[in-house]
Amino acid sequence: MGARGPKPKYENPADLRAAVERYVADCGERGQFPDLAGMRLALGISPATLARRCKADKEATPEEIRRAAEFQEVLDFAKDCRESWLVRKMTSDNKAAQGCMNALKQPCNGGYIDRPAQDSQNTSVEIRVVGVGGAEAFK
């Protein structure tokens, strides 16, 4: 007996890539931002399904690992398209700059930050006094 349920959408990365490219092009023709949620709705694919396609488990074969990486590359392409759209919009339309920057700060659109992240680890210096008379030399 075979697998149950409907045939999965976008069984291979090339099909998903073509669908993402059509979505981005359609948004471009309408002058609309190709947002992630809109992309998933247009493609008829859930966040969980996308995550499953991009993940290989511990027992995965080299082919399954390669395939998962190819699906991830498609999602990275879509992210680059969103980031590019936002950067171009914000640099060409001053009224949209703050909104675009807010969107660019979201991890799914670029993950921009205002300032570098602070190193949360404490920095310490250890001074060794070997060969200078030991602790007695500092009294």
Side-chain angles (χ1 to χ4, degrees):
M1 196 158 142
R4 292 185 180 183
K7 180 180 173 185
K9 277 191 172 187
Y10 315 109
E11 276 194 71
N12 64 62
D15 291 345
L16 181 61
R17 173 75 181 234
V20 168
E21 287 177 356
R22 283 192 303 274
Y23 171 72
V24 170
D26 184 48
C27 287
E29 289 172 7
R30 291 184 276 137
Q32 295 177 336
F33 174 60
D35 65 293
L36 179 59
M39 181 186 78
R40 288 191 312 253
L41 290 170
L43 273 53
I45 193 166
S46 71
T49 299
L50 282 175
R52 252 191 334 271
R53 294 271 189 263
C54 297
K55 184 181 176 193
D57 60 20
K58 294 176 186 175
E59 293 84 30
T61 66
E63 173 62 22
E64 290 169 331
I65 293 169
R66 182 194 58 76
R67 190 174 165 90
E70 288 177 359
F71 273 109
Q72 184 59 53
E73 285 176 18
V74 174
L75 295 186
D76 291 344
F77 165 77
K79 179 180 177 181
D80 287 345
C81 290
R82 291 190 302 275
E83 183 177 351
S84 176
W85 191 98
L86 289 165
V87 168
R88 289 171 188 230
K89 179 72 171 176
M90 100 184 220
T91 57
S92 65
D93 181 356
N94 287 340
K95 292 180 182 177
Q98 188 59 51
C100 289
M101 180 52 77
N102 289 341
L104 283 165
K105 288 178 182 178
Q106 297 172 350
C108 66
N109 295 327
Y112 285 31
I113 56 175
D114 289 334
R115 56 183 91 73
Q118 297 293 326
D119 186 7
S120 62
Q121 296 179 350
N122 292 332
T123 305
S124 62
V125 176
E126 181 179 328
I127 301 173
R128 295 182 182 237
V129 293
V130 176
V132 293
E136 293 296 317
F138 291 99
K139 288 187 180 179

